[in-house]
Amino acid sequence: MVCLGNICRSPLAEGILQSKLSKDFYIDSAGTAGYHVGELPDERSIKVARFYSIDISNQRSRKFVLQDFDIFDYIYVMDASNYQDIINFARNEDDKSKVHFILEENQNVPDPYYGGENGFENVYKMLDIACNRISEEL
Ligand code: 4NP
């Protein structure tokens, strides 16, 4: 799961998908930027996840690295900017083939960072629907 800062959207996506799959599935998240490396998820993401009985407070922000292309079978991005950053980073066509938008029809999950609390609720609901689809596909 990839977003810009790895503190708002992708930590939620990681927690939601993990909640729908067994521990046999290794799920992680990362940011394309390193502004928040080592930090906990945004408190608004922690709060909305907790409301839905998901604990994401054990996560820490990290930056996407090249080895992620080797470790993961699927790389889900939140928006078109993340998509372009990760595609630009890819070493070959095999890397590129792993990168998908998390929403159908290549829609963007809006960045809630500068918005209010209900932005996070909205993002949660979008990601929950997307993760239902992904868990069924997997
Ligand atoms: P995220 O949200 O990409 O969903 O984690 C953001 C978090 C921080 C910043 C931007 C987006 N920032 O500019 O610091």
Side-chain angles (χ1 to χ4, degrees), residues 25 42 45 51 63 66 86 96 101 106 125-126 136:
F25 290 87
D42 187 286
S45 285
F51 182 79
K63 197 172 174 194
L66 271 183
I86 298 298
K96 288 181 188 174
F101 283 77
N106 298 355
K125 287 178 175 161
M126 293 171 115
E136 281 164 20

Side-chain angles (χ1 to χ4, degrees), residues 29-113:
S29 63
T32 56
Y35 314 132
H36 297 279
V37 168
E39 293 179 18
L40 273 75
D42 187 286
E43 60 184 21
R44 295 164 295 178
S45 285
I46 293 176
K47 190 173 159 193
V48 74
R50 188 173 289 143
F51 182 79
Y52 291 101
S53 305
I54 294 173
D55 181 14
I56 60 167
S57 64
N58 59 332
Q59 297 184 31
R60 296 294 179 275
S61 174
R62 72 172 180 91
K63 197 172 174 194
F64 187 91
V65 292
L66 271 183
Q67 294 94 302
D68 287 321
F69 286 118
D70 299 324
I71 294 170
F72 296 97
D73 298 315
Y74 299 93
I75 296 167
Y76 293 103
V77 298
M78 301 295 131
D79 65 30
S81 169
N82 309 149
Y83 184 83
Q84 205 52 58
D85 287 342
I86 298 298
I87 289 291
N88 289 346
F89 203 43
R91 299 158 298 186
N92 51 47
E93 289 306 312
D94 194 39
D95 287 355
K96 288 181 188 174
S97 72
K98 295 185 172 185
V99 188
H100 309 276
F101 283 77
I102 192 165
L103 297 187
E104 287 180 308
E105 297 173 3
N106 298 355
Q107 292 190 77
N108 295 328
V109 179
D111 189 341
Y113 187 61

